[in-house]
Amino acid sequence: MADTSDTFKKAPKRKPSKGKSVAVSPEMRQAYADLIKEREAKQEGYERHLRQDEPKRR
């Protein structure tokens, strides 16, 4: 039969992995910033036309 002392031991903690970094040209960085601004403008325009919830009356 297996030794029960090894069965329920905690696993050793893992070191957190570092995030990857990517080098991007200034033109690509500006294009990405423009894309984000365009999406925000579209979202704002969309939300403006949604029906606003009226406050509940008693």
Side-chain angles (χ1 to χ4, degrees):
M1 199 169 189
D3 188 15
T4 56
S5 63
D6 290 340
T7 306
F8 297 107
K9 283 189 176 178
K10 283 189 175 180
K13 292 191 175 186
R14 296 182 183 180
K15 291 184 181 179
S17 61
K18 291 185 178 179
K20 295 181 181 179
S21 62
V22 179
V24 182
S25 68
E27 295 86 17
M28 286 294 293
R29 187 174 292 167
Q30 184 61 42
Y32 188 67
D34 293 342
L35 179 68
I36 291 172
K37 287 179 185 176
E38 185 180 323
R39 282 186 183 173
E40 286 176 353
K42 283 183 181 179
Q43 185 68 21
E44 185 179 313
Y46 174 75
E47 289 174 354
R48 186 179 303 138
H49 296 290
L50 291 177
R51 191 183 91 180
Q52 298 294 324
D53 290 337
E54 295 179 11
K56 292 184 179 181
R57 299 180 190 169
R58 289 184 175 193

